[in-house]
Amino acid sequence: MSRINGVDHDEEEEEEEEEEFKTELTEKFSKLPDELECCNENDQKQNIEEMNGLMEEMDKKELRSVSTIKNFDKIEIMIEKKKMPIENAILLMKRIGCWIAMNHMWIRGFEESSLYKVLEKMIVDTEKKKEEKNEKLLVDLLECYLMLYVNYISEELVVICLPCLLKAASNKEGNEETQKEVEMALLALSRINNWIKLPEEFVFNEIKEIIKYHQECGNLTQLAYQCAWEFFINGLYYEEKLESVVDELHFVREAQSEMNELKKCIDCEKKEHEKEKERNEMKEELILIGWLEVLEIYLSSCNSRNEKIIEVVRSIIQVLRAVKDNHGDIYRQCIQSLGTAARNRDIQIDGLLKSGAVDVFLEKVQQITIEDSNAFSCLEFFVALSRRLKRNTNDEIEEAKRKAAKTEFEVAATTKVRKKE
């Protein structure tokens, strides 16, 4: 789910009746939480891994339907009654949170569950233990909390989570286990939205170093690198220095390079309903959507040189043309990102023309059918452009009137002076 200035971009999906939606996957999943209470510690882990395997195969609608208040409340009750060790509870929450975060979703079920407040309290209590503080436990709790929850985060929790997770994300060891830990920390940080004001020293200095080190040494996974940029751009969203900093770190070039690599791994010819949901390909699709979301955030705030914007828009168009309507979520995010560019008054309209964005939407409009879920977004693109053109025309008329009035005043004043002479 993409959020620009606090606006959800999949509100219609959020309004669906979650618990009424059932498939074979969700039916299997719904039986497993009840079995956790009757298992010993090792069997619980095996059960959790089975749940994770099911979530790997789920689409957004299925994930949302199993991420219910009821299921989150069950986890809280098992923790409270000591029917599940905290290590297993964290493993379960991380598994659920990871897939929710990777699918860019906001799940109301967690926010409205008893687990939400319990997890907040555990974080604060763990942080207060200055001498005996378990930093690994604190990192785990924060990752669960942020991956499951992306709405309002209190200032108290921001102060706790930033130094803790950035320290975890800064680990430069090259082994696979460390890479996974860094990936989880950055995935959690990427969930902090751009309307939450963050202390600049954390966003600007530490994450910048993480990105620079990866560009030199290549220590991050594909997902971790995308998440690092998402957190960085969200954190500096309202700062004037955003564009100069992302230019310094070659953001556009890096995004293009990463998306090109991801495109190679995705079979763009298979139809979405025919394609097997292979684990790696699904993950790469989600990372690619993540890059498109980051580019959308950039396009919503930038006022940079026109040629830089043309590069960004062209890279999105290349992805759009590659997927050829066969990867619905990727295609929708491309359309959405280009629509954001059309609405940004600081992006010149002639730049959109030169990039080929208008041509893409003209082609799409000619193919629109009543059933096409992207029809509204395509038409909205032209509405945004027409409003901006009308505003520009009105501005030009007002400017012409102002100049005419000024000229008339100057002529009258000059005439008056001459008469006096």
Side-chain angles (χ1 to χ4, degrees), residues 100-340:
I100 288 171
M102 284 191 65
N103 277 275
H104 318 286
M105 295 163 61
W106 172 35
I107 299 297
R108 288 178 178 160
F110 174 69
E111 181 187 355
E112 296 171 6
S113 71
S114 55
L115 181 62
Y116 163 63
K117 286 295 180 185
V118 167
L119 198 51
E120 271 195 346
K121 186 177 185 304
M122 289 172 70
I123 289 168
V124 174
D125 290 347
T126 304
E127 168 64 17
K128 285 179 179 176
K129 295 178 181 178
K130 297 296 180 184
E131 294 181 3
E132 302 175 3
K133 183 163 65 177
N134 185 334
E135 290 195 9
K136 176 66 169 65
L137 174 61
L138 184 58
V139 168
D140 287 337
L141 293 171
L142 287 167
E143 288 173 354
C144 293
Y145 181 79
L146 289 175
M147 287 192 291
L148 289 168
Y149 183 63
V150 296
N151 197 14
Y152 174 75
I153 300 171
S154 68
E155 187 176 332
E156 180 182 20
L157 283 181
V158 167
V159 170
I160 294 172
C161 81
L162 286 183
C164 184
L165 291 179
L166 281 167
K167 181 180 178 181
S170 299
N171 192 333
K172 294 180 172 63
E173 292 179 28
N175 60 69
E176 189 175 339
E177 184 179 350
T178 299
Q179 278 193 325
K180 189 64 181 175
E181 290 171 358
V182 169
E183 183 181 85
M184 286 295 100
L186 288 168
L187 180 59
L189 285 168
S190 73
R191 299 280 280 172
I192 300 176
N193 289 286
N194 54 34
W195 68 84
I196 298 171
K197 181 68 175 175
L198 302 178
E200 188 180 310
E201 65 271 17
F202 289 118
V203 180
F204 185 65
N205 295 326
E206 296 192 40
I207 199 69
K208 182 180 176 182
E209 287 307 310
I210 290 171
I211 289 171
K212 285 177 71 175
Y213 186 79
H214 171 73
Q215 289 177 349
E216 294 168 4
C217 305
N219 65 310
L220 299 178
T221 64
Q222 284 181 308
L223 174 61
Y225 191 45
Q226 180 265 305
C227 289
W229 271 111
E230 188 166 355
F231 172 67
F232 189 43
I233 289 181
N234 270 330
L236 292 176
Y237 186 79
Y238 295 104
E239 301 295 331
E240 289 184 6
K241 68 176 74 176
L242 171 62
E243 289 189 68
S244 63
V245 174
V246 298
D247 280 351
E248 177 191 342
L249 294 175
H250 311 292
F251 167 64
V252 174
R253 182 195 71 190
E254 293 292 296
Q256 289 174 322
S257 174
E258 291 291 315
M259 290 197 299
N260 284 335
E261 286 301 311
L262 291 162
K263 277 193 300 178
K264 293 175 186 176
C265 303
I266 297 172
D267 186 347
C268 295
E269 296 302 321
K270 283 184 180 179
K271 295 292 182 185
E272 192 171 28
H273 63 276
E274 295 173 350
K275 189 175 61 175
E276 293 181 4
K277 294 184 176 181
E278 298 173 3
R279 180 180 306 178
N280 290 335
E281 187 168 328
M282 279 190 67
K283 184 174 180 180
E284 281 147 357
E285 285 186 29
L286 295 174
I287 299 169
L288 179 53
I289 292 169
W291 276 111
L292 290 165
E293 286 202 354
V294 176
L295 287 171
E296 182 184 2
I297 297 166
Y298 176 73
L299 288 170
S300 73
S301 64
C302 65
N303 55 8
S304 65
R305 300 182 308 277
N306 220 32
E307 62 269 21
K308 186 68 70 175
I309 299 305
I310 292 171
E311 283 184 52
V312 175
V313 172
R314 279 178 177 162
S315 66
I316 295 170
I317 291 170
Q318 286 173 5
V319 175
L320 185 147
R321 291 195 183 281
V323 297
K324 298 177 181 176
D325 280 338
N326 299 329
H327 295 254
D329 288 341
I330 298 175
Y331 192 89
R332 275 189 290 277
Q333 186 57 54
C334 288
I335 294 289
Q336 191 168 287
S337 299
L338 294 172
T340 295

